[in-house]
Amino acid sequence: AVKDGVSTLLNALLNSGASLQIIEFSTTSSVVNLGLNTVNETYLSRLNDYLGAGYNGQNYNPVGATNWDDALRDVEVTPADLVIFFTDGFPTAYIGPDGNPIVQGGAATFQAALDAAVTRANIVKGQGKHMFVVGVGAGINLPNIQAISGPDRFGGPVSVLTADFTTPPYEELAANLAAAVNAICGTELTVNKTASNSGVCAGETVTFTTTVTNTGGSFNFEAKNLN
């Protein structure tokens, strides 16, 4: 389910101008190095390798505990506008005072892992990064997901830039992700065409002027990939 969700995300962002950083986590967290962050065909190919047989000594192998705390520590030091967090909703480990993971051993002690993750998620959101959690797998724990994200479910007029979480089905998600990236990275152009005079007679000269203006959009970005 995680692989399908990540593939949906990648195809929605392909050649959009977006940059994407993958952070994987089980008992501990690590930043996946694919050699580039721009979501293009090369990135997609390398990520598919990583999710399959592996890429450059790295491969997706979700065994062990679930350490939200360590993952969010990596998110904290990673520049981002939008954080998309795939999980089933059950954190079972956190980082102890000595920097090593503490794995919880029973339902009654899971609260410590969740509390550590909530503290870290609040730091991330306080940096201005929007947290959007995608619930995957069977038996998704919504209260835990909402504890690190918020109460607003994705759907309808609520986009990934304002919603806090989503659960299956994911039909709307890919299109909405693409729209969200365009809202962040896109810009608007205006084209104004004028002629120096009208009603032209034989032998007269007309000067045509075309002015293209980048309005910058909300984020004042440069327009790219124009012909």
Side-chain angles (χ1 to χ4, degrees):
V2 172
K3 289 181 178 180
D4 289 343
V6 172
S7 295
T8 297
L9 168 64
L10 261 291
N11 282 289
L13 303 184
L14 184 62
N15 296 324
S16 65
S19 295
L20 185 68
Q21 179 68 66
I22 302 290
I23 296 171
E24 67 166 22
F25 59 96
S26 52
T27 303
T28 58
S29 171
S30 61
V31 178
V32 178
N33 182 5
L34 299 179
L36 74 167
N37 290 333
T38 301
V39 185
N40 54 24
E41 296 289 353
T42 300
Y43 189 102
L44 184 60
S45 174
R46 292 178 182 180
L47 184 69
N48 285 331
D49 289 342
Y50 159 75
L51 293 173
Y55 174 77
N56 199 24
Q58 308 163 101
N59 70 294
Y60 178 63
N61 185 27
V63 296
T66 304
N67 197 330
W68 286 2
D69 177 38
D70 202 23
L72 290 168
R73 287 170 185 261
D74 281 334
V75 172
E76 185 181 341
V77 296
T78 301
D81 295 299
L82 177 64
V83 178
I84 304 175
F85 197 98
F86 291 88
T87 184
D88 60 0
F90 291 94
T92 60
Y94 63 101
I95 298 298
D98 61 355
N100 294 314
I102 297 174
V103 178
Q104 300 300 280
T109 60
F110 289 163
Q111 190 64 45
L114 180 61
D115 289 345
V118 169
T119 298
R120 197 62 50 183
N122 288 339
I123 292 173
V124 167
K125 290 185 283 188
Q127 294 174 325
K129 300 168 184 172
H130 180 62
M131 187 87 133
F132 181 72
V133 180
V134 179
V136 295
I140 297 169
N141 188 304
L142 278 182
N144 288 355
I145 284 176
Q146 290 173 316
I148 62 167
S149 60
D152 296 328
R153 183 189 291 269
F154 165 78
V158 185
S159 80
V160 296
L161 293 180
T162 55
D164 298 314
F165 71 95
T166 190
T167 54
Y170 303 122
E171 283 79 4
E172 287 185 71
L173 186 58
N176 203 277
L177 281 171
V181 169
N182 186 57
I184 295 173
C185 302
T187 187
E188 297 178 355
L189 300 179
T190 61
V191 180
N192 184 42
K193 297 174 286 187
T194 60
S196 59
N197 56 328
S198 59
V200 183
C201 298
E204 293 184 341
T205 299
V206 179
T207 299
F208 294 95
T209 301
T210 301
T211 303
V212 181
T213 303
N214 174 14
T215 64
S218 300
F219 294 86
N220 198 32
F221 279 103
E222 294 180 1
K224 298 181 179 179
N225 302 321
L226 297 181
N227 294 321

